[in-house]
Amino acid sequence: MTEKNFMNAPENIAKIPSTAHAASPLAEQAAATFGQLGLSLGDRLGADLPVFSPIDGSGLATLRMDTPGDVDAMVANARTAFAAWKLVPAPHRGELVRRYGALVREHKEALSLLLSIENGKILTEARGEVQEVIDICEYAVGLSRQLFGLTIASERPEHRLTEYWHPMGVLGLISAFNFPAAVWAWGTTVALVCGDSAIWKPSEKTPLTALAFAGLLEKAAADYDLAPDHLVQVVVGDARCGTAIADHPDVAIVSATGSVRMGQDVAVRLARRFARPVLELGGNNAAIIAPSADLDLALRGAVFAATGTCGQRCTTLRRLIVHNSIRDAFVQRLIATFATLRIGSPLDDATHVGPLIDRMAFDGMQRALEQARAEGGIVHGGERLDIAGAADGYYVRPAIAEMPGQTAIVREETFAPILYVMGYDTLDEAIALQNGVSQGLSSSIFTSDVREAERFQSAEGSDCGIVNVNIGTSGAEIGGAFGGEKVTGGGRVSGSDSWKNYMRRATATVNYSASLPLAQGVKFDLDIDP
Ligand code: NAD
C-alpha cells in the first residue's frame, strides 16, 4: 500500500484551496445533482476524505471514511441479504435491475454531469458511460431468464447428468477512478440477477458518483418488496477498506479493477483463502498501422483511442506500431491532428480533451516523458496548459513520442495521454512488438489485407483479451466479454458468459433406474440380504 492510494495524502491536501469547504460553483452543481436525484449525502459527510473536481481542483465535498471495522459490519449485513435474495427467482431479481435501469435512464443527464464534474471526462464520454450502465441493466434483465446449465450425456443407463448454476454469495467490488460507474454496473447488475448481494468500494477519487449510482439502486430496492435490506452497500474508504474486503472470509467473489500493483496484492490475499478473483488490471495497448490501411480511418481511430478520457482509459492506445514505408508521413499527420485538439473544460461541448485526474497523474506523465527522451525518444507536446479559471486543474497537450524501439518506458503503462510510436517492416515483427509487453488488454490492427487481419486475430497473432480490426483499442461494447490476459489479470467482469463468475456450479447425477451401475465400469458387488 502506498501513499498514492490515499486521497488525503499530504501532497493532495497541499493542493486543497483553503476555501475547499466553501461551495464552489462545481460543488453547488454536484449538490444540486444529488437534489435532482432525490438523494442526500446525509451521514456520509464528515472530515476525512476531501473530494475534488479535476476541472479546477476545487473541493466538492468532504466525506466520512468507512473503516475496516465498518466493512465487517457491511459484510455481515450482506450475508443476511444474500440468504434472502438467493431464494428469489432469477427473473424476479431481474425486475429490480429493470427498475434501476429505468431510474438511471430518467436521470441520465444529471448523472452524466456529476460524473464529468468528479472525474473530468468530457460530457459526451460521461453520457456514454451512463448509457453503458443503462445498457448493462438491459443486458442483465435478459440474462435473468438465461442462466442455464448443461445437460450432459451420461454413460450409465437411466441416469441424468446436469449442471446447475446457483447464487454464489457476497460480491466485493473494488473499482478505479477512470470508469467510476460503468465497471461497478457491469459487475453488480449481473451479480444481482445471479442472486448475489454486493459491496462496492469505489475509488477514493470518485466517491460521489458512486453514492449517486448506488443511491438510485438502493431507492429501487426500497420500492421492491422482494429485495432485502442491504442488498447493495457502498464503502467510502481507501485501500485499507479494499484490503478488508479482499481478506474477509465471507466475501465469496472479489472483482477488483485498477492498477497491476493493486491486483498483485489483492490476488495473493484471495488465493490464500481460495476466494474467486475477477481481476481487471492495467493495459498497455497497441495498434498496428499496415501499409494497406485506410489511413484517414486509422488516424481518426488512433487519435480518439490515444486521447479520449485524457489517456486515462484502461484501453487507451499507448503504442502505435507503424509500417516504416508510411511512418514519417503518418506521424506528421498525427502531430498536426493532435495540434487541433481542443483542450479545456469537459463541460464545454466543444472540448475534445479534459483534465488529468490530479497532480500525481501530471507528475507521472512528466516523469515518463523525461524517461522517453533519455531513452532516445523525440517528444511532441505533453506540456501543461493554462486554462482560464482552472489554476488547480491539470490540463495537458497529449504527447506523441517517436521512439527508437520498444524501450523500458514504452513497456510501462503511464496513465496519461502519451502515444509512443515505433516502426516495423514485417507483420511478424509488428506482432512481436505488440505482444512484447507484460500487459494483455486491448489491441488493434488497421489494414485492408484480409490475410493480415486474420493472422492478427489468430493464435499466432495478438495475445490480448480484446483484438480489433480497423477500430481503435478503446470503446468496447457490453455484449462481448471484457478483460485481458497476462498482468491485466485474466478476469472478465461482464459480457458473454462471464455471468458464471458470479455463480457456483453444481453437477448433479440422478439415477432413475432400479440398479446402481458405477462409473467407468467399476465393480463393487455386495452381498446384501433382501
Ligand atoms: P488503483 O489501483 O490506484 O486503485 C483502484 C482501486 O483499488 C481503488 O478503489 C483503490 O482504493 C483500491 N486499492 C488500491 N490498492 C489496493 C490494495 N492494495 N488492496 C485493495 N484495494 C486497493 O487504480 P486507479 O489509479 O484508480 O485506476 C487506474 C488503473 O486501473 C490503471 O492501471 C488502469 O489500466 C486500471 N483499469 C483497468 C480496467 C480494466 O478493465 N482492465 C478498467 C479501468 C481501470
Side-chain angles (χ1 to χ4, degrees):
M1 197 187 303
T2 69
E3 269 193 349
K4 182 176 186 303
N5 298 318
F6 298 95
M7 194 55 202
N8 57 349
E11 69 269 31
N12 289 313
I13 294 220
K15 208 185 97 186
I16 308 172
S18 54
T19 54
H21 300 257
S24 69
L26 292 173
E28 277 170 10
Q29 270 180 292
T33 305
F34 271 84
Q36 281 167 37
L37 301 176
L39 300 174
S40 147
L41 284 171
D43 70 349
R44 296 287 187 169
L45 291 171
D48 313 320
L49 180 65
V51 185
F52 307 97
S53 172
I55 295 177
D56 61 2
S58 62
L60 295 176
T62 307
L63 302 184
R64 177 182 56 75
M65 287 230 265
D66 291 313
T67 63
D70 295 324
V71 171
D72 274 350
M74 288 188 199
V75 174
N77 287 336
R79 286 282 304 169
T80 307
F82 171 65
W85 187 239
K86 70 178 180 183
L87 302 180
V88 174
H92 292 292
R93 301 195 294 247
E95 171 62 13
L96 171 64
V97 175
R98 190 193 66 71
R99 293 182 187 195
Y100 174 58
L103 273 179
V104 176
R105 190 184 287 277
E106 181 188 336
H107 295 292
K108 179 174 175 182
E109 206 47 38
L111 289 165
S112 306
L113 179 66
L114 178 66
L115 201 157
S116 189
I117 288 173
E118 191 179 38
N119 162 286
K121 65 177 67 176
I122 58 173
L123 259 180
T124 181
E125 289 184 280
R127 290 187 185 110
E129 180 163 356
V130 179
Q131 186 59 44
E132 210 168 324
V133 175
I134 297 166
D135 292 347
I136 197 70
C137 286
E138 292 181 357
Y139 174 93
V141 173
L143 197 60
S144 71
R145 291 180 185 270
Q146 296 283 312
L147 302 170
F148 51 77
L150 297 173
T151 302
I152 299 141
S154 169
E155 67 184 55
R156 289 170 279 187
E158 295 181 275
H159 280 58
R160 180 166 56 76
L161 185 54
T162 316
E163 283 179 0
Y164 299 109
W165 290 91
H166 294 306
M168 176 88 183
V170 177
L171 164 69
L173 195 144
I174 299 168
S175 62
F177 78 85
N178 65 327
F179 274 90
V183 168
W184 166 73
W186 290 352
T188 301
T189 58
V190 171
L192 283 178
V193 301
C194 289
D196 302 328
S197 57
I199 294 179
W200 179 14
K201 199 212 83 61
S203 165
E204 51 274 53
K205 298 181 185 181
T206 52
L208 297 179
T209 303
L211 291 171
F213 276 87
L216 287 185
L217 184 45
E218 282 162 14
K219 245 182 164 186
D223 289 343
Y224 189 47
D225 292 348
L226 298 179
D229 290 345
H230 306 301
L231 191 54
V232 175
Q233 300 168 88
V234 177
V235 179
V236 173
D238 54 31
R240 285 169 293 199
C241 289
T243 298
I245 289 172
D247 280 342
H248 203 295
D250 286 335
V251 178
I253 315 156
V254 174
S255 168
T257 297
S259 58
V260 172
R261 191 195 60 244
M262 176 276 283
Q264 282 166 335
D265 182 25
V266 168
V268 170
R269 293 173 188 277
L270 299 183
R272 214 176 279 138
R273 64 182 183 90
F274 300 103
R276 184 173 296 171
V278 182
L279 299 174
E280 293 279 3
L281 310 174
N284 188 356
N285 317 295
I288 297 170
I289 315 284
S292 67
D294 174 335
L295 294 179
D296 289 347
L297 193 123
L299 186 66
R300 281 176 189 284
V303 174
F304 174 70
T307 65
T309 324
C310 198
Q312 299 168 114
R313 288 190 185 212
C314 53
T315 51
T316 290
L317 176 62
R318 309 202 179 278
R319 299 176 295 137
L320 201 60
I321 304 166
V322 191
H323 195 268
N324 279 326
S325 63
I326 54 169
R327 179 180 170 181
D328 288 346
F330 195 77
V331 169
Q332 287 316 309
R333 291 188 73 190
L334 263 182
I335 294 171
T337 311
F338 269 42
T340 66
L341 291 170
R342 289 185 292 274
I343 298 155
S345 169
L347 304 183
D348 179 343
D349 277 335
T351 298
H352 291 119
V353 181
L356 286 166
I357 186 75
D358 58 17
R359 158 119 186 249
M360 215 153 22
F362 173 73
D363 289 345
M365 178 177 182
Q366 298 310 307
R367 276 196 305 274
L369 292 176
E370 265 318 298
Q371 189 174 335
R373 287 188 189 96
E375 290 173 355
I378 301 167
V379 175
H380 311 272
E383 71 278 12
R384 186 170 177 194
L385 301 178
D386 198 4
I387 302 292
D392 284 319
Y394 287 88
Y395 293 82
V396 290
R397 174 145 318 271
I400 295 166
E402 296 182 75
M403 300 303 293
Q406 191 143 269
T407 62
I409 192 64
V410 180
R411 294 197 299 274
E412 268 180 38
E413 180 197 49
T414 299
F415 218 53
I418 303 174
L419 182 58
Y420 298 107
V421 184
M422 296 163 284
Y424 79 92
D425 289 316
T426 65
L427 185 60
D428 283 345
E429 199 188 326
I431 290 173
L433 282 170
Q434 139 68 37
N435 292 345
V437 294
S438 61
Q439 308 86 349
L441 182 53
S442 185
S443 59
S444 79
I445 187 168
F446 286 86
T447 179
S448 299
D449 179 336
V450 70
R451 290 181 180 154
E452 286 190 336
E454 291 295 329
R455 259 196 74 206
F456 185 68
Q457 296 167 79
S458 76
E460 58 178 341
S462 163
D463 61 4
C464 290
I466 298 170
V467 186
N468 294 337
V469 176
N470 291 333
I471 61 167
T473 51
S474 65
E477 293 184 27
I478 57 150
F482 181 89
E485 304 303 334
K486 304 195 290 187
V487 302
T488 302
R492 299 294 186 273
V493 173
S494 205
S496 187
D497 64 350
S498 49
W499 58 269
K500 292 175 179 170
N501 282 322
Y502 304 98
M503 303 198 87
R504 65 181 174 84
R505 185 193 323 233
T507 303
T509 307
V510 175
N511 172 11
Y512 57 95
S513 76
S515 58
L516 193 69
L518 300 179
Q520 293 87 40
V522 172
K523 295 288 175 220
F524 198 76
D525 294 330
L526 296 173
D527 295 324
I528 296 179
D529 290 335

